[in-house]
């Protein structure tokens, strides 16, 4: 089994789900008392959030690059960034180490194409929805990406940072998210990406008929399968 190197803590709420899904997947695949052979470097999220808000992405990237170097030094065979937004600095992390990085958008694209999805709605933080670092990976794979308008982006972003990252689950926020998911479906999207690792804490497939692609589930399962297959 390969040793997984997890960069977590962004937020720690979603990192716990990564750990659980990875271990459940390994146990299902290998049986018995098997669990994942993994290392996690959990960063302090507050300085990272401050860097995001101030646009100091290179500084934030160095926090993750340092974590990646530590994981490589401890014996990790590959790196996993347990958040969508911070894949904005994925290149900086990759350049800091000599082991591969399993990119969340590539894993998501694989799942979309396997499901026959060619036009998808994207929800997440405003950085993920508005900027190109995530969308371009999907577009490059032939997938059309639709995002909400800027007012909606701001509201979704606030729900993520002011509620979900702090462990707060509100029915009003769930209803708002589902309404926006349905609006994306009405624009011809045949699936919607839950493109922030905390959204799956709030919205489930049972809440909507529109097919959902939870990036936490997809990324964590792919992480586990890479460990057990090679």
């Amino acid at each position: 089994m390969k040793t997984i190197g997890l960069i977590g803590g962004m937020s720690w709420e979603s990192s716990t789900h990564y750990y659980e899904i990875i271990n459940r997947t390994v146990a299902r695949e290998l049986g018995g008392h098997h669990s994942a052979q993994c290392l996690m470097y959990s960063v302090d999220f507050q300085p990272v959030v401050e860097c995001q808000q101030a646009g100091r992405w290179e500084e934030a990237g160095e926090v993750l690059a340092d974590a990646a170097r530590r994981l490589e030094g401890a014996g990790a065979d590959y790196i996993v960034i347990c958040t969508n937004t911070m894949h904005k600095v994925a290149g900086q992390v990759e350049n800091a180490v000599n082991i591969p990085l399993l990119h969340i958008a590539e894993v998501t694209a694989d799942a979309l194409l396997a499901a026959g999805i060619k036009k998808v709605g994207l929800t997440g933080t405003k950085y993920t929805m508005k900027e190109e670092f995530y969308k371009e990976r999907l577009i490059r794979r032939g997938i059309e990406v639709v995002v909400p308008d800027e007012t909606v982006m701001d509201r979704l972003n606030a729900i993520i940072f002011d509620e979900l990252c702090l462990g707060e689950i509100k029915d009003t926020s769930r209803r708002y998210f589902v309404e926006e998911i349905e609006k994306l479906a009405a624009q011809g999207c045949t699936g919607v990406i839950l493109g922030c690792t905390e959204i799956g804490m709030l919205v489930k497939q049972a809440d909507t008929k529109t097919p959902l692609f939870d990036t936490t589930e997809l990324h964590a399962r792919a992480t586990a399968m890479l460990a057990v297959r090679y």
Side-chain angles (χ1 to χ4, degrees):
M1 188 190 306
K2 293 291 187 182
T3 300
I4 305 164
L6 301 166
I7 304 178
M10 300 168 287
S11 67
W12 70 263
E13 292 279 353
S14 62
S15 297
T16 62
H17 294 287
Y18 264 86
Y19 187 74
E20 180 179 4
I21 295 164
I22 289 168
N23 278 286
R24 289 191 184 280
T25 303
V26 169
R28 184 187 67 238
E29 290 296 315
L30 300 181
H33 295 287
H34 282 288
S35 58
Q37 189 167 290
C38 65
L39 303 162
M40 179 181 283
Y41 189 102
S42 187
V43 306
D44 179 4
F45 196 25
Q46 180 63 35
V48 175
V49 171
E50 291 172 2
C51 286
Q52 291 175 346
Q53 293 171 340
R56 301 196 310 270
W57 290 99
E58 186 173 353
E59 184 179 334
E62 182 51 36
V63 173
L64 271 63
D66 178 65
R69 286 190 287 264
R70 291 170 186 259
L71 289 167
E72 181 180 30
D77 291 302
Y78 57 99
I79 298 296
V80 176
I81 302 173
C82 301
T83 166
N84 287 271
T85 299
M86 290 308 294
H87 277 75
K88 181 176 172 66
V89 300
Q92 194 172 342
V93 173
E94 288 177 306
N95 290 336
V97 294
N98 296 306
I99 54 177
L101 180 143
L102 183 62
H103 199 290
I104 196 168
E106 295 293 347
V107 169
T108 302
D110 289 342
L112 292 168
L113 293 174
I117 304 292
K118 292 298 182 69
K119 184 175 182 179
V120 71
L122 174 61
T123 63
T125 67
K126 64 182 179 182
Y127 310 108
T128 300
M129 291 184 287
K130 192 171 184 178
E131 300 187 30
E132 299 302 317
F133 69 91
Y134 195 96
K135 292 183 286 186
E136 68 183 2
R137 295 263 179 170
L138 305 179
I139 294 168
R140 196 183 306 156
R141 302 282 295 275
I143 301 166
E144 182 181 352
V145 182
V146 180
V147 297
D149 65 40
E150 193 143 3
T151 300
V152 175
M153 286 186 188
D154 288 340
R155 176 72 187 278
L156 298 182
N157 192 73
I159 291 171
I160 290 166
F161 280 101
D162 299 340
E163 298 173 21
L164 301 181
C165 286
L166 302 177
E168 295 182 19
I169 309 298
K170 297 182 178 179
D171 287 336
T172 53
S173 296
R174 179 182 295 108
R175 288 193 295 270
Y176 185 81
F177 248 100
V178 171
E179 287 172 5
E180 295 308 319
I181 286 168
E182 298 304 336
K183 289 177 184 177
L184 289 168
Q187 295 179 59
C189 297
T190 52
V192 172
I193 299 169
L194 304 184
C196 176
T197 51
E198 284 81 20
I199 300 175
M201 297 161 54
L202 181 69
V203 180
K204 308 295 183 185
Q205 185 61 71
D207 296 319
T208 176
K209 293 181 180 179
T210 303
L212 301 179
F213 293 81
D214 184 339
T215 55
T216 303
E217 291 276 347
L218 295 171
H219 200 206
R221 286 187 194 136
T223 296
M225 295 306 294
L226 187 58
V228 300
R229 285 182 175 172
Y230 299 100

